[in-house]
Amino acid sequence: MAQSTTSDRPNIVWIMLEDWGLDLGCYDTPGIETPVTDKLASEGIRYTNAFCTSPVCSTSRSAMLTGYHQNYIGAQQHRTAKEDKKPLPYDIEPMPVLLKEAGYFTALMIYNKTDANFSGDLGFMGKDWKERKKGQPFFAQITLGGTHRAWNRDPKNPIDPAKVELPPYYADTPFARRDWANGLEQMQVCDREIGDILKRLDKEGLTENTLIFLIGDNGRCHIRGKQFLYDPGLQVPLIIKWPGKVAPAQVNTDMVQTIDITATILDVAGAKPKHELQGKNLFEEESKNREYIFAARGRMGGTHDAMRTIRSNKYKLIHNLMPERAWLQYSGYKEDMYPMLAEMNIMYMEGKLNEDQAKFFAPTKPEFELFDIEKDPYELNNLANDLHYGDVKDKLLEELYVWRKSIKDEGVSQEFREGGLSSKYPTRTLEEWKERYEAWKPWVFRETKSKVKHPFIKKNY
């Protein structure tokens, strides 16, 4: 697709869902009803293989704000403290700065969250596109924060837990089903909020000249999702609508990454970064038929860990750089926000989880995890030590090292390896987990209009 000229540049609206994967009606998720999002998908392109570069908000958003992998710009540690943030290297400028320089009005709307792990001007000029000059094209980044835990229930359309479908690595209990359904209900609420945004565009006569992106900033906020490099932590919805430019009812199976959206927006807007981006324009051939996508995980708050991954359409290799630590080493965020973690820890300690459910609760990790995604979409059968897959593992590891070098990945220092919160596992006794489970019950099973207080929220994660 040819780049737009300065006279017909579109408005650009980027709707970002917090912590949300493919759990939408248009992705065939059982139990949920998302008519607005489904209609949006029918009016443009729905991507089925879109991945973020990191499984948590600040690192993923830092990459999206620039078009470069977070390690390359020194933004790989989640929620870098203000005093530790550094300016972007290599004269890199954030996307909104480049859009502003190209004549766009840039707005950060609804939920004032950027979460950049670097210092300096991000380039946002206002809080609403109505503040722009007459005739000025605008870029609006709109974050819907509802899908971030803790979730509100949907009083208009409650979901029957019997109608949802849990992945096999979760214990299938009434408690887990209700927690899962609560998240889907929150997405239904957000679906109506997306409808309000689209109605406003229509009312103001902007729809026909507006390019719309709908994505998640990282994968779903459940155990084995957000914070980890399995597909549920990295895979996000990606829907694009652009009347007159993008044909409707398209389903795209290419492997793409969220930094490709950055490159696409800058090209469409006629904005010129000083250096070649690591993302590629989704409307050009360079983003199609990718052989691999890559992602990385570093520190999560005070929890130290490090992982890297390479994924093709068929295989995924995860390199755990700190295998001595448990997947579920202490994380205040997970323990205070994931009800299922309490129940499954109890079941693990009592020997009641099956083999697939218990794997993630092990006290250490293997250094390498290799999965045949086509045969094993839930990433449960680790083939890393299977000699039949030795050539596959070697090839992926070689490509992973090439990528790590290209993004200037510094790996793990001894100081980092020894630092952070305690890596002792299990993090609590059986009795302590039972106490937390009981504290969770009123919240998980609350009615749609209940005023039950969340048992553990003391701060904004």
Side-chain angles (χ1 to χ4, degrees), residues 158-169:
I159 293 175
D160 181 356
K163 294 182 178 179
V164 307
E165 183 177 301
L166 294 175
Y169 42 76

Side-chain angles (χ1 to χ4, degrees), residues 282-461:
L282 290 166
F283 299 140
E284 301 289 351
E285 287 300 316
E286 59 186 354
S287 70
K288 304 181 189 307
N289 301 312
R290 257 197 192 99
E291 191 170 5
Y292 305 112
I293 60 97
F294 301 90
R297 177 242 160 104
R299 176 180 56 75
M300 300 286 171
T303 305
H304 283 209
D305 211 334
M307 306 165 185
R308 309 291 185 261
T309 191
I310 176 174
R311 187 195 194 279
S312 68
N313 277 310
K314 183 170 176 56
Y315 295 108
K316 173 188 276 186
L317 178 71
I318 297 174
H319 188 180
N320 292 308
L321 302 182
M322 298 173 67
E324 69 277 8
R325 298 200 174 203
W327 284 287
L328 293 177
Q329 64 172 306
Y330 180 76
S331 163
Y333 168 78
K334 290 198 296 290
E335 296 197 6
D336 289 351
M337 300 298 255
Y338 290 4
M340 287 164 60
L341 188 61
E343 183 182 45
M344 288 188 69
N345 262 292
I346 293 168
M347 296 178 72
Y348 174 72
M349 296 170 83
E350 292 181 339
K352 295 179 180 178
L353 294 180
N354 66 33
E355 183 181 357
D356 287 337
Q357 294 161 358
K359 286 176 181 176
F360 201 59
F361 289 76
T364 59
K365 303 186 288 289
E367 183 178 3
F368 295 104
E369 297 175 79
L370 175 65
F371 303 105
D372 184 330
I373 299 293
E374 290 182 349
K375 295 179 180 178
D376 178 26
Y378 291 111
E379 300 165 275
L380 291 169
N381 184 23
N382 183 9
L383 304 170
N385 294 324
D386 188 327
L387 296 180
H388 291 96
Y389 293 88
D391 290 345
V392 173
K393 177 183 174 183
D394 290 345
K395 174 62 175 174
L396 292 177
L397 189 57
E398 179 184 358
E399 295 289 345
L400 183 60
Y401 282 142
V402 169
W403 173 73
R404 289 182 61 188
K405 184 176 180 180
S406 75
I407 64 164
K408 303 183 184 300
D409 184 359
E410 297 177 352
V412 178
S413 68
Q414 193 61 31
E415 180 183 12
F416 185 86
R417 188 177 298 276
E418 295 173 356
L421 299 172
S422 170
S423 61
K424 180 184 176 182
Y425 187 81
T427 61
R428 299 175 190 272
T429 66
L430 177 59
E431 288 306 313
E432 288 170 336
W433 277 120
K434 286 182 176 180
E435 289 177 8
R436 290 180 78 83
Y437 174 63
E438 292 300 324
W440 273 118
K441 278 184 178 178
W443 173 259
V444 170
F445 288 108
R446 70 194 186 280
E447 298 298 324
T448 56
K449 296 182 180 181
S450 171
K451 299 297 183 182
V452 172
K453 186 178 179 182
H454 191 285
F456 302 114
I457 288 181
K458 299 181 178 64
K459 61 180 179 179
N460 177 21
Y461 287 95

Side-chain angles (χ1 to χ4, degrees), residues 29-32 153 158-166 172-182 184-185 445:
T29 298
I32 193 171
R153 291 207 56 189
I159 293 175
D160 181 356
K163 294 182 178 179
V164 307
E165 183 177 301
L166 294 175
D172 192 346
T173 68
F175 184 83
R177 283 181 168 271
R178 184 68 264 168
D179 183 51
W180 190 273
N182 290 348
L184 299 185
E185 287 190 20
F445 288 108

Side-chain angles (χ1 to χ4, degrees), residues 78-193:
H78 177 48
R79 292 277 167 84
T80 303
K82 183 176 181 180
E83 61 272 16
D84 294 330
K85 291 183 180 181
K86 298 178 181 178
L88 287 168
Y90 320 121
D91 292 325
I92 291 172
E93 293 177 300
M95 176 180 62
V97 170
L98 295 170
L99 292 172
K100 181 170 64 172
E101 292 171 353
Y104 272 71
F105 179 83
T106 57
L108 183 65
M109 296 176 61
I110 298 184
Y111 184 29
N112 187 25
K113 179 177 181 178
T114 57
D115 245 0
N117 288 329
F118 51 84
S119 61
D121 178 25
L122 297 182
F124 290 106
M125 301 163 67
K127 296 182 178 180
D128 196 290
W129 67 63
K130 67 182 180 182
E131 301 169 38
R132 73 192 189 282
K133 297 175 183 176
K134 185 177 181 180
Q136 184 180 18
F138 66 84
F139 165 75
Q141 180 176 304
I142 303 173
T143 296
L144 300 182
T147 46
H148 193 291
R149 292 274 191 168
W151 297 332
N152 293 307
R153 291 207 56 189
D154 182 2
K156 294 185 178 181
N157 189 17
I159 293 175
D160 181 356
K163 294 182 178 179
V164 307
E165 183 177 301
L166 294 175
Y169 42 76
Y170 295 140
D172 192 346
T173 68
F175 184 83
R177 283 181 168 271
R178 184 68 264 168
D179 183 51
W180 190 273
N182 290 348
L184 299 185
E185 287 190 20
Q186 173 62 75
M187 183 59 230
Q188 291 181 164
V189 174
C190 285
D191 187 66
R192 296 194 287 272
E193 294 174 350

